[in-house]
Amino acid sequence: MAEHVIQIENLVKRYKELVALDHLNLTVEEGEVFGLLGPNGSGKTTVISCILALLQFDKGSVRVFGKEMQPDSYDIKRQIGVVLQNVAVFEELTVQENIDYFCGLYIKDKRERKQCVEEAVHFSGLEDFRKFYPKKLSGGLLRRLNIACGIAHKPKLIILDEPTVAVDPQSRNRILEGIQKLNQEGATIIYTSHYMEEVEQICTRIAILDKGRCVATGTKEELKAMIKTGEKIHLEIWELKPEHLEELRRLRHVYQVDYREGMLEIRCSGGKHNLVHILDYLARQEISFGRVYSELPTLNDVFLEITGKELRDSAD
């Protein structure tokens, strides 16, 4: 059975009248890529700060690697790597010097540190940029340097806060592949992002925060099964009578039917053969149609139904 890398119980954090965390309960298991989602003001940044003991909280407990986390828990902190949304590197140091500096905060042995720095340079694809200063790097390369600085000491727990913001597609793919590789090599990862497709691609389990509480937790399949929104079917139909729309609404699993400007949209809750049943109905009624396509529920549908907000609309 996997161990709890992080265990948060009844965590409360107030800023005067504002309750940032409201009796939050959360666990992250060893070996997970754990997605932490939530609109602005949901408590994501606050909970990360509490995990790292950078912020005092009012009530509850935070345990990391089975131990109570304290500001001076340096034995625990040495096993954690943090890559925040705002790039934090030294402009006066080269790429290689930056990685070496941050790695040196954790590893004092020069031979071991040299090996770790070399692996971090290779991991982040910065071999050709070792002697570049940060101001000469593109946004994507700068992000990759930021990650290299955070993971060079081979931490067991890595916290990545929006690591792909404003990067080119090539760098984004490189970063996501790198995160999966780190996980395969044994790191447990907490990942926050406003890009749902990234979360779907790499996260093994996901928590949705809203107003300081964890409102849903599970795999992407489990989260999708929690909501009413299921398959969305779109059909191009030139003419439909009101009685046809009523009969479509009475089909099994259909809960919403909209028809405007020649496009029929049918929303279903569950069911595996909804499109077959709809096409069968249209055939029986001799109703002609054109283009047809079907969409399965996405994490954005889950987020919207649970929080009432689009995740991207809540981005900074």
Side-chain angles (χ1 to χ4, degrees), residues 231-268:
E231 187 178 14
K232 287 187 283 188
I233 297 167
H234 304 261
L235 300 100
E236 197 173 45
I237 298 181
W238 294 276
E239 187 176 355
L240 271 180
K241 296 178 181 177
E243 55 265 32
H244 292 146
L245 295 175
E246 284 304 313
E247 288 169 357
L248 284 167
R249 288 189 181 98
R250 288 197 290 269
L251 291 179
R252 192 179 178 194
H253 300 303
V254 172
Y255 74 90
Q256 185 174 328
V257 175
D258 293 304
Y259 180 63
R260 59 174 67 88
E261 297 179 357
M263 185 61 71
L264 176 67
E265 180 181 282
I266 298 176
R267 293 175 180 252
C268 306

Side-chain angles (χ1 to χ4, degrees), residues 296-312:
L296 293 174
T298 65
L299 276 181
N300 205 57
D301 292 320
V302 175
F303 194 87
L304 179 61
E305 188 165 317
I306 289 175
T307 69
K309 307 177 185 77
E310 289 273 0
L311 184 60
R312 292 197 183 195

Side-chain angles (χ1 to χ4, degrees), residues 72-85:
D72 60 353
S73 299
Y74 300 119
D75 57 328
I76 300 175
K77 292 185 177 184
R78 286 190 189 96
Q79 302 177 68
I80 302 175
V82 183
V83 181
L84 298 178
Q85 182 175 347

